[in-house]
Amino acid sequence: MKIKSVIVDDEIIAREVLRNYLTKYCPQVEIAGEAENIREAVPLIAEKQPQLVFLDVEMPFGNAFDVLEATKEFSYETIFITAFSQYSLQALNKSASYYILKPIDIQELILAVNKAAESIESKEELNRNKILLENLKLKPEKQQLILPTLQGFDVVKTEDILRLQADGNFTQVYLTDGSKKMVCRFLKHFDDLLESPFVRVHRSHIINTRFVKSYHKSGTVMLSDDTEIEVSGSFKDNFLKVFS
């Protein structure tokens, strides 16, 4: 199956490199057009109605998120092309978006294209672009988080997460309603992703400090569901700073 695609990047050399990589390593991608900024990208997407857009995050006259906002009536998968930006990566990871860091690594490109192709072929109903746009308008504690599970995915509000616990190659996410989700990510993924009021208190535990009921100087914290979590010495100072 051919995947109708467009490339949006303000650097002509970057577009050439990506086009050449796609032609050589991702033959399922059919490039229907290219744009160098938001002014060109919006009408191009409206005209071609692609299944997949390769979208540079930072461009003149607006960024990738402006493109998404201006084309939100259209349904397409997005692979973001970005230089390292912690803010951008946090936003993209929360919405489970596909992205590639510059300079482009061929294996990462192939992996991202294959994942996007799976979503397109399966007619997956998860709208990552919509969730990403909604998250950008909200404070971190109000944002949504897409959790990839063995069965598919779950979308939860970060404010509904009580705690997270490492479980081998997975993470158990405990919610305030008493349920839990087994997520196909290491705990470090969430440690890098989640901001205050979340804090890591142990190599195996991240907690939402909004639900701390008590702390004992012996090194344990009690949460609102009466779960007792050890606060290890290496994380103790960061934990106590939240309440200082």
Side-chain angles (χ1 to χ4, degrees):
M1 183 189 80
K2 287 290 185 179
I3 302 172
K4 185 193 290 188
S5 310
V6 300
I7 297 172
V8 183
D9 195 309
D10 63 305
E11 299 177 358
I12 186 170
I13 294 178
R15 295 199 304 274
E16 289 177 355
V17 169
L18 179 56
R19 188 190 321 120
N20 290 336
Y21 282 174
L22 291 171
T23 300
K24 185 172 182 179
Y25 300 105
C26 304
Q28 71 270 48
V29 173
E30 176 186 295
I31 302 171
E34 298 181 14
E36 66 177 27
N37 54 50
I38 185 173
R39 294 175 181 174
E40 295 181 1
V42 173
L44 178 64
I45 291 171
E47 176 192 353
K48 301 297 184 181
Q49 297 194 25
Q51 298 165 288
L52 176 62
V53 175
F54 295 89
L55 188 55
D56 187 18
V57 172
E58 296 298 334
M59 295 176 290
F61 313 116
N63 59 27
F65 311 126
D66 296 318
V67 174
L68 295 185
E69 183 67 41
T71 61
K72 60 185 178 182
E73 64 186 284
F74 303 105
S75 178
Y76 56 87
E77 292 290 339
T78 307
I79 295 178
F80 295 90
I81 314 293
T82 177
F84 181 77
S85 165
Q86 189 61 35
Y87 172 75
S88 294
L89 295 188
Q90 284 182 331
L92 297 175
N93 278 323
K94 281 183 179 177
S95 62
S97 297
Y98 310 123
Y99 64 84
I100 307 167
L101 296 177
K102 290 183 176 181
I104 293 175
D105 178 88
I106 294 171
Q107 292 305 315
E108 288 184 0
L109 174 63
I110 294 171
L111 182 61
V113 168
N114 287 341
K115 286 181 177 179
E118 289 176 4
S119 298
I120 293 168
E121 291 172 11
S122 66
K123 294 180 171 55
E124 185 179 89
E125 295 182 4
L126 175 60
N127 192 328
R128 296 175 179 79
N129 293 343
K130 180 181 178 182
I131 293 175
L132 175 58
L133 287 174
E134 290 175 351
N135 279 349
L136 291 171
K137 298 172 184 176
L138 298 171
K139 294 180 179 179
E141 64 270 20
K142 296 291 184 180
Q143 293 176 348
Q144 297 180 88
L145 189 62
I146 295 177
L147 305 176
T149 66
L150 293 173
Q151 293 75 34
F153 63 87
D154 290 304
V155 182
V156 303
K157 293 180 179 179
T158 54
E159 63 182 347
D160 292 334
I161 297 175
L162 181 71
R163 64 186 180 94
L164 305 95
Q165 182 174 351
D167 186 0
N169 294 336
F170 300 87
T171 296
Q172 297 281 4
V173 178
Y174 292 80
L175 303 178
T176 54
D177 65 2
S179 64
K180 67 177 180 178
K181 313 287 185 183
M182 178 173 279
V183 183
C184 307
R185 291 289 185 274
F186 289 106
L187 187 66
K188 186 181 184 305
H189 169 80
F190 296 102
D191 194 23
D192 295 336
L193 182 62
L194 294 171
E195 306 162 76
S196 177
F198 292 90
V199 63
R200 191 162 188 168
V201 296
H202 187 275
R203 61 186 298 270
S204 299
H205 297 281
I206 296 172
I207 65 170
N208 186 336
T209 55
R210 289 179 55 243
F211 299 109
V212 169
K213 187 161 70 172
S214 64
Y215 169 73
H216 196 278
K217 62 183 180 181
S218 63
T220 59
V221 61
M222 183 79 74
L223 301 183
S224 59
D225 67 344
D226 292 331
T227 301
E228 192 172 30
I229 305 291
E230 178 185 352
V231 179
S232 65
S234 55
F235 296 102
K236 182 178 178 180
D237 288 345
N238 282 339
F239 168 73
L240 292 178
K241 281 179 185 178
V242 176
F243 300 93
S244 62

